[in-house]
Amino acid sequence: MMMKNSSNLAQTYQSATQMNAIGMTDFPTIGKVVDGLKMIDVPVPRPQAGEVAIKMMASSLYADELYAAQGTALGRFFGPKVVSETEPYIMGSSVAGIIVDVGENVTNWAVGQEIIAIPSQTPVHGVWAEYCCLNQDRLMPKPDGFSFVEAAGIKMAACVSWGAICYGRIKPNNRTLVIGASGGLGIMAVQYLKTLGAHVTGVCSGKNAEMVRAYGADEVVDYTQHNFADLAIQSQQFYDAVFDFVGGIDNEKAGFRALKKSGSYITVTGPVRFIGEKQLSWFELGKVFFHVASKSVLGRISGPRYIFGEMKPAKTVHDALTHAVKHQIKMPISQEIPFELDAVKQALSLILSHRAKGRMVIDFGNV
């Protein structure tokens, strides 16, 4: 889709030399990334060969971006190597916006097109700013029927949840269970599974039960009152697939107890609960990798299957978003955050508390 006032946006971009961005000028202390964020005045980026310049319209907030910045868990591989006043680290990886310039050798993209950015195995950073530049290979058109805020909010959750579901080999009437059903990934998974004809049980706290039912869950288990594995054993109603969006050994053990022998346990977080915020040593990371590898091998031999991770986003994002548009799947947007430092910091603090429901998205508006 082409933006009607794209020529004005392009002219504004060409005349701009400096812009506002949210980021850091010092390496953060573990657990104190939010405190270290600043509104920084930085040069406007210009597209190199194969790149496009994008006027940012919306960007979703993720805890993983903070974990990467502080170098915890797998963030040590993806986080910043240099942070200083002259080389600030700009936050953000979710992109929904409008192309305002194209570099040399760019094909199939033009000024005025509304786009979202496809995530890659290496996270994109530097988009919590008025403008950003990305390689053309990362882009796809913003889905019709989605606002910029909706597109930014659904993109990553759609990729991860749909990718996990692809591993589940779901068939109509399969019994499925979603751990963390009230979170962003869980809400998407519940909706996707229902479109595939599955019977869905969501696991969440009692206060979020009605919301999870509203998005399609056939049953809800309040984890503060019941153990879903005990209920499955008592009723002899076992599951064909368990999708774990929370993680932890306790959930893993319960998930296996609740599964059929031919079933699949799919986790996007692994055996350490909220692994992203943990400062794991190399030895501890090695234990995680060994645990995952051994469980995967044993699952192939004797069942149930154990699968860690989701399909590569580049392979799933198009199908995930196409399916979402076709079936009118939506990500609940709990808050639209203005591009203001205090508002963004407050939203990130709520996300880190693990109390956020739905998705919070920065709306750049007329910035």
Side-chain angles (χ1 to χ4, degrees):
M1 183 180 293
M2 300 291 288
M3 193 72 174
K4 291 181 180 179
N5 64 338
S6 58
S7 60
N8 292 337
L9 291 175
Q11 290 173 7
T12 301
Y13 168 75
Q14 294 295 344
S15 63
T17 57
Q18 296 291 117
M19 67 177 185
N20 286 325
I22 293 178
M24 304 177 297
T25 56
D26 296 294
F27 272 107
T29 303
I30 302 297
K32 300 291 185 180
V33 179
V34 174
D35 295 338
L37 293 180
K38 302 176 181 178
M39 186 68 79
I40 310 168
D41 184 50
V42 297
V44 172
R46 304 300 176 187
Q48 303 299 308
E51 293 184 340
V52 304
I54 300 162
K55 168 68 176 75
M56 287 295 296
M57 299 300 291
S59 181
S60 189
L61 279 67
Y62 301 103
D64 286 348
E65 294 165 334
L66 298 177
Y67 303 151
Q70 68 184 10
T72 50
L74 298 182
R76 68 179 63 200
F77 303 113
F78 303 127
K81 302 300 184 287
V82 177
V83 182
S84 67
E85 291 285 348
T86 56
E87 295 186 63
Y89 180 78
I90 300 173
M91 298 288 294
S93 60
S94 167
V95 179
I98 304 163
I99 296 176
V100 290
D101 196 10
V102 297
E104 296 180 0
N105 304 322
V106 170
T107 56
N108 301 321
W109 299 104
V111 170
Q113 284 184 280
E114 300 178 356
I115 59 88
I116 61 174
I118 300 173
S120 69
Q121 287 179 291
T122 303
V124 179
H125 294 290
V127 304
W128 287 356
E130 295 176 61
Y131 302 99
C132 69
C133 290
L134 294 177
N135 189 282
Q136 62 180 333
D137 295 336
R138 293 184 183 272
L139 310 181
M140 73 174 293
K142 179 174 71 67
D144 292 338
F146 282 69
S147 69
F148 284 107
V149 168
E150 289 172 333
I154 198 175
K155 176 175 62 65
M156 185 64 76
C159 292
V160 176
S161 58
W162 178 257
I165 288 169
C166 288
Y167 277 125
R169 304 172 184 173
I170 302 303
K171 298 177 181 178
N173 299 317
N174 275 176
R175 289 182 56 80
T176 63
L177 182 130
V178 177
I179 303 173
S182 62
L185 298 177
I187 284 292
M188 292 299 298
V190 168
Q191 295 177 85
Y192 276 132
L193 288 167
K194 288 305 298 178
T195 67
L196 298 176
H199 179 281
V200 182
T201 298
V203 180
C204 63
S205 65
K207 65 181 180 180
N208 294 326
E210 286 307 312
M211 178 184 72
V212 173
R213 287 193 183 93
Y215 279 94
D218 299 286
E219 300 178 52
V220 176
V221 175
D222 179 354
Y223 69 82
T224 67
Q225 300 295 322
H226 303 284
N227 182 292
F228 63 82
D230 291 343
L231 294 178
I233 293 169
Q234 291 167 11
S235 65
Q236 290 296 290
Q237 295 289 316
F238 295 99
Y239 296 97
D240 297 285
V242 171
F243 298 92
D244 185 359
F245 297 109
V246 175
I249 289 293
D250 289 346
N251 279 330
E252 184 178 293
K253 290 180 178 178
F256 269 80
R257 291 174 59 216
L259 276 168
K260 297 177 181 177
K261 196 71 171 176
S262 60
S264 300
Y265 171 83
I266 301 102
T267 174
V268 302
T269 52
V272 180
R273 185 179 174 90
F274 302 127
I275 188 172
E277 65 189 25
K278 302 295 193 300
Q279 189 176 14
L280 302 179
S281 66
W282 286 107
F283 176 73
E284 290 169 321
L285 278 175
K287 287 177 62 178
V288 171
F289 292 139
F290 178 78
H291 176 91
V292 169
S294 60
K295 295 287 284 188
S296 298
V297 171
L298 287 173
R300 291 193 187 100
I301 295 172
S302 59
R305 292 193 308 154
Y306 179 97
I307 299 165
F308 176 57
E310 72 280 351
M311 304 285 272
K312 291 181 180 179
K315 293 183 178 180
T316 59
V317 64
H318 183 270
D319 288 345
L321 293 175
T322 299
H323 196 86
V325 172
K326 178 180 178 181
H327 295 278
Q328 297 184 322
I329 292 173
K330 295 287 187 178
M331 164 64 73
I333 305 298
S334 59
Q335 290 186 48
E336 295 183 22
I337 311 299
F339 184 54
E340 299 170 1
L341 182 61
D342 288 344
V344 171
K345 291 172 73 170
Q346 289 175 12
L348 289 172
S349 295
L350 181 59
I351 291 172
L352 290 176
S353 73
H354 306 296
R355 297 195 306 270
K357 293 190 294 184
R359 185 66 69 202
M360 289 188 278
V361 179
I362 299 174
D363 182 357
F364 288 79
N366 296 318
V367 172

